[in-house]
Amino acid sequence: MRYVQIISSTLMRIRLVIPLLLLLSFSTFSQTGIKGITGNEAGEILPFSTVYIKGTTVGTTSNASGRFFLKTPSGNHTIVAQHIGYKTLEKKVSISEGSALSIDFVLEEQALQLKTVVVTGSDEDPAYRIIREAMEKRKFYKNEVNAFKADAYLKGLFRLDKRPEQILGQKITIDTGIVYLSESVSKFSFEMPDKVSETMISSKVSGDDQGFSFNQASDFNINAYSKNIDLNMERAYVSPISGQAFLFYDYELLGIFEENGKSINKIRLLPKRATDPVFEGIVYIVEDEWRFHSIDLLVTKKRGLEFIDSLKINQVFAPVDHDIWMPLSQNFSFRFGAFGFKGSGYYIGVFSNYEIEPNYEMYEETGLYQEKFGNEEKKDLFREEDFTPEILFVEEKSNERDSAYWRDTRPIPLTIIEEKDYRIKDSVRVVKESVSYKDSVDAETNKLTLGNILSGYTHSNSIKEQYWTIPSILSLLQYNTVEGFVPEVQSTYLKQVNERTKYWIRPSIRYGFSNERFNAKLEGSYRKLDDKFTQFYAGGGRYISQFNEEGIITPFVNSYLTLFSGDNYLKIFEKSFAYTRFRQEVKNGVLFTGNLEYSSRDTLTNTTDYIWTKSENINFTGNQPSNQEISETGFESHQALIATAGFRFRIKQKYATRPDGKIIYASKYPEFTFTYKKAFKVFGADLDYDFIELRITDEVPLGLVGTSNWAIAGGGFLNKNELTFVDFRHFAGNQTNFSQVDRPLKFELLPFYEFSTSDSFIEAHYEHHFNEFIFNKIPLIRKLNLQAVGSANYLYTDTLGNYVEAGAGIEHIFKFLRLDYYWAYRNGNFFAKGYRIGVGF
């Protein structure tokens, strides 16, 4: 499941009179089938009830107002209505071709009975016996179906009920009400263990007739029999019938009811601790078969949800073929609140017309094959080539379906509010695309205020689709010991040429008041929004660059430390340059980046010792970095012609193909990056060297224990006939107390340049995020939602030897701060220790 974003909260219950809703529904549907309302005896509607034709997988779900429409072939049928907590109701109907019947389902609350049980000395609730039986059958039902095909109708809705006026000085222009409403129809295929293929044949987005839905059937493909259920949060959630569930849950048998000759057990889930990654709610388990009849699960914010207050998951199962049960309807509803925003929404999926391929091998191993299938020929739904890395294909004209198509196709009627949203946004869209409207909006958003001066200003021309941005005034002024106070202005011009092409141009200027030096550069990029991510870059000028050109220390941190503590870690040189860069995915999973730069490099020296802190012990270091491999890191003015080629490999990279572009999904395999850099001694250039490097990175989810990230890199110079300290392999060290949390391959106690090398090297990094695995078990502390993190870093070069860092920390302090303490050792001897603080979500 990719988004929770497929989520849930409380089912919307609108207490309206059923006859009134029925009257309103008459005018909406005219196609062949059965329409009506699902409600209860108290006159309340029952939203998201499952309605289907008995003995088939043709079904639908009632909407948030209890209305349903079931497209039905002519003939005699038994229609089944089902809602969790209510008796299943069946009605026989006879329908002729071209006719439409109106049938309401008024469901009775399920009358529960408690069978007589023999209570042991431990007074164990009878639910535990049922759960043990379900645990024994969990793996069987998890693997019962080897593959299946189904038609999938999906609908997603986000509603914003409250919003702030401003955030960080920026005015919030989004309106309350429905902000996202979308429907889609797909052909969905699945094969164990994780092969997926989906073709979206219809797409509708409210207010955007050119848009394509982001609904995806694979996000609903949650197997309730998994040991841990992945909701795309920081930790997986323990299944109520997992083998370790007794460590997390208590259970209570609420009662038993009969349905179609089967006894169904209703069991309440009682989490043992308030913050464990578990579910609250109800599970219904079929007696003797020990399978799920339906589930009604709830996750609340205290159990690890981020920016979501509550998430409710509802699945209803029914027999499809050979008494093998599959989910007919799934509903994920949610409430959210963060940064002054509050709202709710849901995703609902209706799966029908199942074709399944049972796991014949499993039935043969258990000796149940003959009983289940007799002499029936085995099904083989798919060939190997039916599944490719393309897990979703959105048809080019899927968004061109008219209203008649949707009236005839959608199995879940729109609510009155949804109909109104489509109607109003279709009208408003015309207004919003008008010149006068865009001008009025631009006039409002282009006003200069204190808020956008502090946070950054953008001037928009929506008609021409061009935008000018200027960064925050706080980032304009910097200080270093080479240039002194240095205002820097970077302004970006962005132009959207068409839906698939855009470019940007960025002029940058800076002036050092101490060295009285003016520098400027101009850079730009041209990007085609194709399925190869093609992008061109070019730039040139004269500007300042750090010796480690990846910019290991930020100007803000350096300015602060230089002025207040006398630590001038920033080491820079001047470069006159011209470059061009090209990036393109040459094959799925293989991204090529090429760069060619010609530059003239000049060394710089300190020109000021100004400081805001008065202390006799402060002595600024020179602008030439200290290094143990060479005694002199400065250089004479020289020219360099350097070409760089890089390939990033993602094994079995999965992706979606949409008419508006390609979307990449994370791979479960490590990522490989190979880089080759060559300095050519031609056209007046002075350098001559060859450098190679291989990096391997990966993220490994470890279920309840958290997530691990690791990286390994190694390489060196094949030849180093002519190179300067700028060209050494520099490492992401840190001598400040401020950590760049998201920087890859970083060290926290290694000096910035002390161990940069022109020899071979190998480095390794490991970081494990325990998420709430540790702190949620500590009383009082667990209410703070703190998360533990551990890390280790290793580096070897000939000069350095073996260098090791170990760290332990806490993240999610006030949701965005992280604090770590590190220890470092060089060749077995203590090297350094210290704390680091960083910002990250």
Side-chain angles (χ1 to χ4, degrees), residues 257-306:
F257 61 89
E258 299 294 321
E259 184 177 288
N260 296 324
K262 299 179 186 289
S263 296
I264 313 298
N265 300 285
K266 181 179 182 180
I267 298 174
R268 174 182 290 151
L269 307 178
L270 302 169
K272 288 180 178 291
R273 290 168 292 274
T275 55
D276 278 345
V278 297
F279 300 99
E280 301 171 55
I282 305 292
V283 293
Y284 296 82
I285 297 176
V286 182
E287 185 77 18
D288 296 328
E289 298 178 14
W290 317 118
R291 70 167 77 243
F292 285 126
H293 166 277
S294 51
I295 60 175
D296 195 9
L297 306 177
L298 174 69
V299 183
T300 54
K301 192 169 188 175
K302 62 187 177 183
R303 301 193 183 281
L305 296 179
E306 287 294 329

Side-chain angles (χ1 to χ4, degrees), residues 57 145-152 186-191 195 197 217 221 320 326-327 351-358 379-383 386-387:
T57 60
V145 175
N146 183 59
F148 70 85
K149 295 179 180 179
D151 295 335
S186 296
K187 299 289 186 180
F188 181 66
S189 301
F190 173 82
E191 186 174 73
K195 295 180 180 179
S197 178
N221 195 33
V320 172
M326 297 290 287
F351 291 76
S352 59
N353 299 320
Y354 274 103
E355 288 185 65
I356 66 170
E357 177 190 319
K379 295 180 181 178
D380 189 4
L381 289 182
F382 303 112
R383 299 165 298 173
D386 289 335
F387 293 97

Side-chain angles (χ1 to χ4, degrees), residues 241 414 475 481 524 529 566 576 580 594 602 617 665 749 762 774 818:
I241 58 172
L414 298 175
S475 67
T481 54
L529 299 178
S576 299
T580 183
D602 294 289
N617 298 323
Y665 300 119
L749 298 173
I762 184 169
I774 294 177
R818 172 173 165 175

Side-chain angles (χ1 to χ4, degrees), residues 463-532:
I463 298 171
K464 295 183 178 180
E465 294 190 275
Q466 57 189 27
Y467 310 89
W468 275 102
T469 63
I470 299 175
S472 164
I473 193 173
L474 300 178
S475 67
L476 300 183
L477 192 61
Q478 306 168 21
Y479 178 78
N480 62 69
T481 54
V482 174
E483 299 171 288
F485 284 101
V486 51
E488 181 179 46
V489 179
Q490 288 187 340
S491 180
T492 302
Y493 170 78
L494 174 66
K495 171 65 176 178
Q496 189 80 36
V497 179
N498 53 50
E499 291 182 357
R500 302 181 68 85
T501 307
K502 65 180 179 180
Y503 66 85
W504 57 259
I505 299 172
R506 180 177 299 138
S508 303
I509 58 173
R510 61 189 288 146
Y511 179 77
F513 280 96
S514 181
N515 71 345
E516 299 180 343
R517 187 74 165 167
F518 176 84
N519 287 287
K521 64 179 178 179
L522 181 67
E523 297 175 290
S525 172
Y526 177 85
R527 181 177 180 183
K528 295 179 63 178
L529 299 178
D530 56 15
D531 59 0
K532 295 183 178 297

Side-chain angles (χ1 to χ4, degrees), residues 198-234:
E198 179 179 354
T199 300
M200 184 182 294
I201 60 176
S202 308
S203 169
K204 186 174 179 65
V205 180
S206 182
D208 185 3
D209 62 349
Q210 299 300 312
F212 295 90
S213 175
F214 283 95
N215 299 343
Q216 199 163 325
S218 58
D219 292 324
F220 287 80
N221 195 33
I222 295 176
N223 193 326
Y225 296 100
S226 297
K227 180 174 68 173
N228 297 314
I229 298 176
D230 183 11
L231 300 179
N232 199 37
M233 305 303 288
E234 291 182 327

